[in-house]
Amino acid sequence: QCLLSGSWQSDTGCRMLMSILGKDGSFSGSYLPGFAAGDSEILTSPLEGSQQDAGLVPQPIFSFTVRWRLQARTTVFLGQCYVGTNGEETLHTLWLLREAAESPAEDWKATR
């Protein structure tokens, strides 16, 4: 069974620390982007999310949002937790990053 709570690191060096899941599947934690490892200007940012009931599916779907500190941007992650044949848990995610746009004319470049 896949459990999101704990510490995770991505292939690019991003680090996440997720709290224990609530009864409703909610969790919170913190996120530090990989490029920030040597940059004291970038702070760890809070994250909040939810996981599908692991009792329904052993490899649950989850989502979470990172609210970047000191920056006008938010990132949303959507993915699934998989358990390999060796018992190792891995997260596969897609993400969208939204930055504040100066005007509706600039909206086209605000989401990556």
Side-chain angles (χ1 to χ4, degrees):
Q1 183 171 334
C2 211
L3 300 173
L4 285 180
S5 59
S7 180
W8 296 88
Q9 184 165 335
S10 74
D11 295 340
T12 59
C14 298
R15 291 177 295 181
M16 297 182 296
L17 181 59
M18 295 188 192
S19 68
I20 296 172
L21 290 171
K23 290 182 182 181
D24 62 352
S26 65
F27 59 87
S28 59
S30 56
Y31 187 91
L32 181 66
F35 65 82
D39 189 347
S40 61
E41 294 291 315
I42 297 178
L43 300 174
T44 300
S45 297
L47 67 83
E48 293 183 28
S50 64
Q51 176 182 306
Q52 182 182 32
D53 184 353
L56 298 175
V57 180
Q59 301 184 111
I61 296 167
F62 63 89
S63 64
F64 63 90
T65 302
V66 175
R67 291 171 290 130
W68 297 100
R69 292 189 182 198
L70 307 179
Q71 299 175 358
R73 60 175 59 168
T74 296
T75 304
V76 178
F77 292 81
L78 176 65
Q80 189 166 357
C81 187
Y82 293 99
V83 179
T85 55
N86 62 357
E88 184 175 324
E89 299 169 331
T90 58
L91 305 181
H92 290 240
T93 63
L94 296 173
W95 57 269
L96 288 173
L97 178 126
R98 177 66 189 210
E99 297 178 298
E102 295 294 320
S103 69
E106 299 293 314
D107 187 67
W108 66 273
K109 65 180 181 178
T111 302
R112 296 188 243 172

